[in-house]
Amino acid sequence: MAKICMVVSEGTFDKAYMPLIMANTAAASGDEVHIFYSFFGTKLVTKKANPKLPGMFRLFTGMFQKKMKAVGIGNYMETFKQAQELGVNFYACSTTMDLMGVKKEDLLPNVKVLGAAAFLKLAVESEATLFIG
Amino acid sequence: MDATLDAKGLMCPMPIVQLAKKVKELKSGQVLELLVDDVGAKEDVPAWCSRTGHQLMGVEEEGKLLKFYIKIK
């Protein structure tokens, strides 16, 4: 059982799924997981989250989603919900919420607002910290 | 064998997520058979067992299909 922290700074489809897949695997292995969303990542923990592939690949998001569905991976919100059911902890960066125009009421349920100092405390207490984009 | 989990057709992380869920339904000492054809599972399942303390008793390979036998701790 380990404590794992992740930082997500981008809001695209790939950067949205990777931490959730890692987190769900870790939580299913008995780990305590904390994910901190900053900058463009912040919108991934809002009710309006609908991540698309980056750049021109954006057009292929639906196709990707379909392929993932075929191997048992649900859409973004389903995967997010699964992570919460597995006990993964989600945090939104307080400063970038302001920059990105995200209000507390826009956040998905049980997403906590956190500052850098509080997150760093979690990170130094962790066995691993992963930075996702 | 006390239970079988058929995770064929599922890819990482779903076999592990479902395995963790299934194991919770079983009692200590029971043996679970896991059927999986995700290539990643070959390394993932032993890693998961070593981290969670459940005993991997054996693996059988039938072409792409992997059969894991896991004794619940």
Side-chain angles (χ1 to χ4, degrees):
Chain A
M1 305 319 112
K3 189 160 161 180
I4 300 175
C5 281
M6 296 187 213
V7 185
V8 183
S9 70
E10 294 278 359
T12 51
F13 187 88
D14 46 333
K15 308 288 167 69
Y17 268 96
M18 229 190 100
L20 293 185
I21 287 174
M22 292 283 211
N24 288 354
T25 308
S29 309
D31 295 327
E32 181 187 318
V33 187
H34 302 272
I35 316 181
F36 185 67
Y37 290 83
S38 181
F39 280 87
F40 298 99
T42 312
K43 58 186 174 189
L44 295 174
V45 285
T46 65
K47 290 167 191 148
K48 283 183 188 157
N50 183 22
K52 300 271 193 273
L53 283 164
M56 269 172 59
F57 292 107
R58 165 185 194 92
L59 303 167
F60 301 102
T61 306
M63 201 181 78
F64 243 74
Q65 192 83 77
K66 226 170 146 184
K67 277 190 172 178
M68 287 167 74
K69 187 109 196 155
V71 295
I73 304 169
N75 68 31
Y76 179 74
M77 282 302 177
E78 286 165 357
T79 311
F80 185 88
K81 222 177 138 195
Q82 185 180 58
Q84 287 196 319
E85 281 165 10
L86 285 163
V88 175
N89 302 288
F90 291 91
Y91 307 96
C93 163
S94 55
T95 305
T96 45
M97 271 176 70
D98 210 40
L99 291 171
M100 303 293 296
V102 173
K103 292 187 183 69
K104 202 161 184 258
E105 56 269 28
D106 299 331
L107 296 175
L108 284 160
N110 300 315
V111 175
K112 286 179 215 139
V113 178
L114 219 61
F119 178 72
L120 286 170
K121 184 177 180 291
L122 285 170
V124 295
E125 291 163 357
S126 302
E127 277 81 4
T129 299
L130 308 174
F131 182 78
I132 317 282
Chain B
M1 204 99 57
D2 300 291
T4 296
L5 173 63
D6 185 352
K8 291 197 294 286
L10 301 179
M11 282 174 96
C12 172
M14 296 317 294
I16 295 293
V17 170
Q18 292 206 352
L19 173 61
K21 205 184 266 179
K22 186 77 187 174
V23 158
K24 279 191 190 146
E25 296 168 12
L26 300 172
K27 294 187 189 83
S28 177
Q30 287 189 310
V31 176
L32 171 71
E33 176 187 48
L34 169 69
L35 308 177
V36 61
D37 54 9
D38 168 22
V39 266
K42 201 170 177 175
E43 306 289 338
D44 277 355
V45 175
W48 181 85
C49 287
S50 90
R51 297 209 53 216
T52 54
H54 301 293
Q55 189 191 345
L56 181 58
M57 300 176 67
V59 198
E60 279 176 26
E61 259 187 271
E62 286 176 16
K64 275 187 76 180
L65 179 68
L66 293 164
K67 293 179 174 177
F68 289 98
Y69 298 93
I70 299 159
K71 193 174 181 181
I72 312 305
K73 75 166 177 192

